[in-house]
């Protein structure tokens, strides 16, 4: 058995093939590159039972990951997050078989650790010494920290409004951090110039091919945790779209290995009403999205006005008979409170968006009562303390609680 069955990089737009051993960013045609594996060979040699007894982290799937040598792995123990039944909330929205895959308990507190672990490990394997990336906060924090562990220098540019804690995570890791009074698209332009001026590796979303591979492991884990019997629906909060593209890629690879059977789960791209370019494109049955002007939402991670991989997100939604749906900020924040008070989980606003979407899709019949549904909570609520407004009664030192208990 080989450690990894990775074979080459390929362009999903023009089918050009790239060598695995060199640094690559986008295809010459401008499309993101995808990682290919020798699935025929792997199918003969690799079975689900081979996973038994392996460590409970994402590297248990190393045959389906791009790192060639084990010694290049940079890990903080990421992956194998729990799949939790949401019985109380599920009952209240008439989806009794509702599960939450909780990415809030992973290193750095968001699923971004998965992309960073695999992306940084591969960067180390390729001999990269310094990288730059724009971020809405969480990805920059994860990449800065994993880069520090790998001894790779990083330049991170994020919007001024990004969650404050992510700023601290970058700073404490020793990254070169810059704030821009604008959106992630503005940060992206600044990074693009720095990459040219200083000949840096560009770790922007989908401009390096390996982040998807890390996020793909969410799909592999859901399949393994459900005993290789897939749910009917998977809902995902979609910004740059890497998560949903990765989950779809995982499903296709598992199909090719014969570990799961169709039909595939219907994939749902959930966006915020204040930034819903994928939803608009899906409603118009388009293959690509248009830039969303003046985007705004409290779910900061999904404030991405135009994703480079939009055509891949839309393809995954169309091919699985899924859908795209937008939810407004008041519903997101209300759902965040409901999940905390009914299930004891303080989830991030992006994750709350997914539950708001599940509620709507059940109400309009798109999700049926008997269906098994997996909702991705992509991060911990504690990373966004300001999304919860509290009014707390104050007591004097000689005062006691008289009334008002709930
Ligand atoms: C908590 C959270 N959820 C979801 C997303 C969207 O991720 P993707 O790029 O996979 O669509 C982000 C991106 O920043 C995020 O931070
Ligand atoms: Zn191409």
């Amino acid at each position: 058995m080989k450690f990894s069955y990775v074979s080459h990089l390929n362009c999903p737009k023009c089918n050009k093939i790239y060598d695995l051993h060199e640094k690559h960013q986008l295809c010459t045609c401008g499309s993101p590159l995808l990682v290919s594996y020798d699935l025929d060979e792997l199918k003969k040699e690799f079975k689900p039972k081979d996973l038994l007894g392996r460590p409970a982290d994402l590297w248990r799937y190393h045959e389906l990951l791009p790192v060639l040598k084990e010694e290049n792995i940079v890990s903080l123990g990421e992956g194998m997050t729990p799949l939790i039944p949401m019985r109380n909330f599920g009952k209240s929205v008439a989806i009794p078989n509702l599960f939450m895959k909780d990415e809030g308990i992973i290193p750095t507190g968001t699923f971004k650790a998965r992309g960073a672990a695999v992306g940084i490990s591969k960067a180390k394997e390729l001999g990269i010494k310094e990288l730059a990336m724009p971020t809405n906060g969480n990805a920059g924090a994860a990449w800065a920290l994993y880069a520090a562990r790998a001894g790779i220098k990083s330049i991170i540019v994020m919007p001024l409004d990004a969650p404050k804690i992510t700023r601290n995570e970058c700073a404490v890791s020793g990254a070169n951090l810059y704030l821009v009074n604008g959106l992630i698209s503005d940060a992206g332009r600044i990074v693009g110039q720095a990459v040219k001026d200083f000949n840096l590796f560009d770790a922007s979303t989908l401009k390096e091919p390996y982040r998807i591979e890390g996020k793909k492991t969410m799909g592999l884990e859901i399949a393994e945790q459900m005993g290789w019997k897939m749910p009917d629906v998977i809902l995902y909060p979609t910004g740059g779209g890497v998560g949903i593209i990765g989950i779809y890629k995982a499903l296709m690879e598992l199909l090719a290995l014969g570990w799961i059977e169709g039909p595939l789960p219907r994939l749902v791209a959930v966006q915020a009403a204040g930034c819903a370019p994928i939803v608009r494109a899906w409603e118009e049955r388009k293959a690509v999205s248009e830039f969303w002007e003046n985007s705004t939402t409290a779910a900061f991670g999904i404030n991405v006005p135009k994703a480079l991989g939009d055509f891949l997100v839309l393809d995954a939604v169309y091919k699985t008979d899924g859908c795209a749906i937008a939810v407004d900020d008041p519903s997101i924040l209300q759902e965040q409170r409901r999940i905390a008070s009914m299930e004891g989980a303080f989830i991030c606003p992006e994750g709350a968006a997914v539950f708001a979407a599940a509620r709507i899709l059940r109400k309009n019949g798109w999700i049926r009562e008997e269906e098994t549904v997996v909702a991705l909570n992509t991060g911990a609520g504690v990373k966004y303390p300001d999304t919860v407004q509290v009014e707390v009664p104050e007591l004097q030192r000689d005062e006691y609680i008289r009334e008002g208990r709930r």
Side-chain angles (χ1 to χ4, degrees):
M1 286 284 288
K2 287 188 287 188
F3 187 70
S4 168
Y5 283 71
V6 62
S7 56
H8 60 275
L9 301 174
N10 75 286
C11 173
K13 239 184 200 157
C14 72
N15 297 321
K16 201 166 163 184
I17 302 267
Y18 289 84
D19 184 277
L20 191 67
H21 303 278
E22 289 158 20
K23 285 180 228 173
H24 296 293
Q25 307 250 229
L26 293 175
C27 179
T28 46
C29 80
S31 165
L33 295 173
L34 296 179
V35 181
S36 292
Y37 296 82
D38 190 346
L39 295 174
D40 290 337
E41 198 188 333
L42 189 57
K43 186 175 182 175
K44 285 185 231 142
E45 299 178 7
F46 191 36
K47 302 284 175 234
K49 69 170 170 28
D50 296 326
L51 295 170
L52 298 175
R54 289 193 182 180
D57 62 35
L58 62 78
W59 299 101
R60 66 197 276 108
Y61 308 112
H62 58 78
E63 287 89 347
L64 280 170
L65 291 172
V67 178
L68 294 167
K69 291 202 180 125
E70 193 169 1
E71 72 238 34
N72 290 323
I73 289 178
V74 181
S75 175
L76 292 164
E78 56 289 328
M80 225 8 133
T81 52
L83 193 60
I84 305 168
M86 303 297 269
R87 292 203 184 90
N88 300 331
F89 182 85
K91 213 167 162 191
S92 77
V93 292
I95 310 175
N97 296 315
L98 176 64
F99 294 83
M100 171 170 77
K101 176 109 177 119
D102 190 7
E103 297 288 300
I105 58 157
I106 209 167
T108 77
T110 75
F111 78 116
K112 299 282 181 184
R114 293 179 188 268
V118 175
I120 288 288
S121 297
K122 194 65 195 174
K124 182 180 164 195
E125 190 158 81
L126 290 167
I128 288 159
K129 299 279 182 280
E130 187 171 6
L131 57 82
M133 68 183 296
T135 175
N136 267 340
N138 288 325
W143 280 72
L145 286 158
Y146 278 85
R149 187 166 173 84
I152 294 173
K153 289 208 280 186
S154 56
I155 294 180
I156 311 284
V157 187
M158 69 170 70
L160 206 55
D161 297 338
K164 294 256 170 10
I165 186 68
T166 62
R167 196 189 282 189
N168 297 0
E169 289 175 280
C170 292
V172 81
S173 74
N176 291 295
L177 173 67
Y178 298 90
L179 302 175
V180 55
N181 191 0
L183 291 176
I184 189 170
S185 39
D186 302 301
R189 264 189 300 279
I190 294 168
V191 164
Q193 192 60 44
V195 162
K196 268 196 222 135
D197 291 348
F198 309 119
N199 192 26
L200 303 173
F201 186 69
D202 191 341
S204 306
T205 305
L206 296 175
K207 287 194 183 164
E208 67 79 56
Y210 301 107
R211 193 195 290 208
I212 294 180
E213 298 305 295
K215 297 197 179 179
K216 171 180 96 177
T217 58
M218 287 184 286
L220 300 176
E221 285 176 21
I222 291 170
E224 186 179 1
Q225 288 170 316
M226 299 209 117
W228 312 106
K229 234 184 123 279
M230 296 308 293
D232 299 294
V233 176
I234 299 178
L235 299 118
Y236 195 86
T238 304
V242 187
I244 198 165
I245 297 167
I247 290 173
Y248 180 64
K249 189 169 187 285
L251 298 177
M252 298 310 285
E253 289 172 2
L254 291 174
L255 267 185
L257 290 178
W259 289 19
I260 61 167
E261 287 173 1
L264 292 179
R266 312 197 301 279
L267 298 182
V268 180
V270 179
Q271 298 204 295
C275 181
I278 300 282
V279 178
R280 184 179 283 166
W282 179 79
E283 283 168 354
E284 296 168 356
R285 295 294 181 270
K286 296 229 170 90
V288 293
S289 66
E290 301 279 335
F291 190 94
W292 189 277
E293 297 293 343
N294 305 316
S295 65
T296 170
T297 168
F300 212 78
I302 51 175
N303 190 348
V304 180
K306 164 79 183 164
L308 191 58
D310 55 357
F311 69 103
L312 295 170
V313 175
L314 287 158
D315 188 50
V317 171
Y318 293 132
K319 292 260 172 67
T320 59
D321 253 337
C323 70
I325 177 168
V327 289
D328 60 30
D329 275 18
S331 311
I332 290 175
L333 298 177
Q334 200 176 24
E335 226 63 90
Q336 188 187 36
R337 275 179 186 265
R338 284 202 189 105
I339 295 292
S341 62
M342 296 174 86
E343 299 286 359
F346 184 12
I347 63 175
C348 65
E350 294 83 351
V354 154
F355 288 99
R359 177 189 296 277
I360 298 169
L361 291 173
R362 176 68 193 93
K363 231 183 215 161
N364 69 19
W366 194 89
I367 293 175
R368 293 187 303 277
E369 185 160 12
E370 69 279 11
E371 290 189 310
T372 301
V373 176
V374 172
L376 261 299
N377 171 44
T378 41
V382 288
K383 292 199 84 171
Y384 303 70
D386 300 338
T387 55
V388 182
Q389 304 297 327
V390 286
E391 267 180 42
V392 187
E394 261 181 50
L395 298 174
Q396 300 304 317
R397 289 173 62 190
D398 57 356
E399 205 183 335
Y400 294 94
I401 297 166
R402 276 185 280 260
E403 56 183 42
R405 280 160 54 245
R406 274 176 287 174

